[in-house]
Amino acid sequence: MLDRTAKTFFHLLARSRTLDKLASRYGMRRPDSFARRFIAGESVQEAIEAARAIEARQMRLTLDLLGESVTNLEEADAATRLYVAVIDAVVQSGIERNLSLKLTQLGLDVDKASAVDNLRKILGRAEPAGFFIRVDMENSPYTDVTLEIFETLWSHGYRQIGVVLQSALYRSEADLERMNALGARVRLVKGAYKEPKSAAYQDKADVDAAYERMMESLLARGHSPAIATHDPAMIDATRRWAREHGVAPNAFEFQMLYGIRRDLQTMLVNEGYRVRVYVPFGRQWFPYFMRRLGERPANVSFVIRGIVGEQR
Ligand code: FDA
């Protein structure tokens, strides 16, 4: 992981509305733009093309229409309508029906009831069409409310939805036991956000140790477990534990982000594992992009080379 100061810096940039606007205007103009390494494009058609290429590599996918932290209900309604349009486009295209979304994109910061209504609208269109919808996990102030909304929908009979738990948070192991008992589908991640000491482990070694414990619990007692990481150590630990405990390679899946460790993605598929690629797209790509830069110094130099190249 990048050193903590740099991570904080990128997380501050991620929240800048001015940079977000500038990036949306200029960042993706050229087909060889630096942002395209991590983002499939701004339109749903570009995302569908990327998805087809992923399926041709024998991998599964989840599409994520980027957006988060909307500040009024009009924006939340617009995001909901866009998601419904994405559902229709995916159905037409014939690619796998699997989406990820964020609750703050649907208005959670403005009004919880409206965000839930918006999610229900999306599910109302998605579930009959056979979609699976993963509710991404945002930073720790949203953990309780995200799980509460998920559990309420679950109690109302929605079954084609899943959650994400972050091994960085102290609370996540207990949350995982509850989700496993419920029968919910969990994606396990380390956690992409800068979190305070009061809520989260600060050392990579502790986050990784928690990840391994949660991976074991998920493979032993979970439902359609999703092990989402690019970390070769976590991937090895998962393969080893599965092998030693008789868990078949097709009983769980690895998940990775678009544009990251394609070599590992291909290697796992060749070994008979299921791999799902998370395909982000849309105009609001800037905060997502900043989080990816904050994860790895090499990505920053890649982008700088890209920008210098673009100015030539
Ligand atoms: P870690 O950051 O420890 O990196 C291990 C190794 O992986 C690195 O040495 C490098 O080789 C490679 N790597 C990692 N990140 C890279 C990058 N950006 N570029 C290039 N190489 C990289 N988080 C969250 O809080 N909520 C969520 O809902 C989700 N959803 C989600 C879905 C999917 C499918 C994935 C794969 C990840 C998420 N995440 C997430 C992000 C997650 O929490 C985490 O921030 C990243 O996956 C990076 O952590 P790693 O486990 O990859 O390991």
Side-chain angles (χ1 to χ4, degrees):
M1 277 180 205
L2 190 59
D3 102 341
R4 293 179 46 72
T5 324
K7 193 167 181 180
T8 309
F9 173 69
F10 282 104
H11 282 248
L12 281 175
L13 292 186
R15 291 208 293 272
S16 160
R17 292 238 152 199
T18 316
L19 284 180
D20 189 354
K21 278 198 189 117
L22 278 173
S24 306
R25 197 168 307 154
Y26 301 112
M28 286 272 194
R29 273 192 178 168
R30 288 174 35 165
D32 60 347
S33 134
F34 52 89
R36 284 186 189 268
R37 165 158 173 192
F38 301 109
I39 291 118
E42 292 197 339
S43 71
V44 67
Q45 284 316 324
E46 286 173 298
I48 288 170
E49 267 172 47
R52 289 208 171 102
I54 287 162
E55 288 187 334
R57 294 166 62 215
Q58 316 303 322
M59 293 171 197
R60 295 145 190 252
L61 56 103
T62 181
L63 289 194
D64 175 31
L65 172 59
L66 291 168
E68 55 197 90
S69 308
V70 306
T71 51
N72 58 64
L73 290 181
E74 290 71 41
E75 281 181 64
D77 284 348
T80 306
R81 282 196 301 276
L82 270 177
Y83 254 106
V84 170
V86 168
I87 289 168
D88 294 344
V90 166
V91 168
Q92 267 218 323
S93 74
I95 62 164
E96 190 183 354
R97 301 178 182 191
N98 192 306
L99 300 179
S100 295
L101 52 75
K102 290 185 174 44
L103 290 177
T104 64
Q105 183 178 15
L106 304 184
L108 186 59
D109 281 332
V110 191
D111 176 44
K112 181 174 143 194
S114 302
V116 174
D117 275 355
N118 286 337
L119 181 54
R120 279 179 190 273
K121 275 183 206 151
I122 293 170
L123 289 170
R125 187 71 144 242
E127 283 218 326
F131 276 77
F132 178 75
I133 305 280
R134 180 81 62 176
V135 180
D136 284 346
M137 188 58 83
E138 300 178 68
N139 46 338
S140 57
Y142 298 104
T143 314
D144 259 333
V145 65
T146 301
L147 292 177
E148 182 205 314
I149 290 172
F150 176 80
E151 287 177 87
T152 304
L153 288 172
W154 187 271
S155 73
H156 291 168
Y158 289 95
R159 288 294 177 271
Q160 291 302 103
I161 51 173
V163 276
V164 180
L165 294 176
Q166 301 153 326
S167 72
L169 301 191
Y170 306 133
R171 58 174 291 164
S172 291
E173 289 183 63
D175 289 334
L176 179 59
E177 291 313 318
R178 209 167 71 252
M179 291 301 126
N180 284 346
L182 200 65
R185 289 163 68 166
V186 172
R187 173 200 292 154
L188 175 62
V189 301
K190 289 189 189 177
Y193 300 87
K194 166 111 182 62
E195 296 288 357
K197 215 175 180 168
S198 54
Y201 300 111
Q202 305 294 306
D203 290 341
K204 176 174 163 57
D206 293 328
V207 176
D208 287 357
Y211 194 98
E212 286 199 40
R213 290 194 298 275
M214 291 179 70
M215 171 275 287
E216 292 173 10
S217 156
L218 200 49
L219 290 194
R221 292 179 291 284
H223 304 266
S224 306
I227 308 298
T229 181
H230 317 92
D231 188 341
M234 298 300 110
I235 291 170
D236 282 349
T238 306
R239 288 190 295 188
R240 199 176 329 112
W241 198 91
R243 211 171 33 244
E244 287 170 5
H245 293 80
V247 179
N250 62 5
F252 63 97
E253 66 185 27
F254 287 108
Q255 296 191 350
M256 294 192 209
L257 301 176
Y258 181 79
I260 299 182
R261 296 305 308 256
R262 281 173 55 115
D263 56 333
L264 272 184
Q265 298 172 11
T266 305
M267 185 198 80
L268 288 168
V269 168
N270 290 342
E271 288 180 5
Y273 291 98
R274 293 183 168 178
V275 174
R276 183 177 302 281
V277 179
Y278 182 103
V279 184
F281 74 99
R283 300 198 64 182
Q284 315 270 302
W285 49 268
F286 184 72
Y288 173 91
F289 183 56
M290 284 297 116
R291 284 197 292 276
R292 301 293 78 81
L293 294 191
E295 276 158 8
R296 194 161 175 259
N299 291 340
V300 180
S301 55
F302 168 82
V303 168
I304 290 168
R305 281 201 309 277
I307 294 171
V308 172
E310 282 192 4
Q311 283 171 344
R312 273 203 302 264

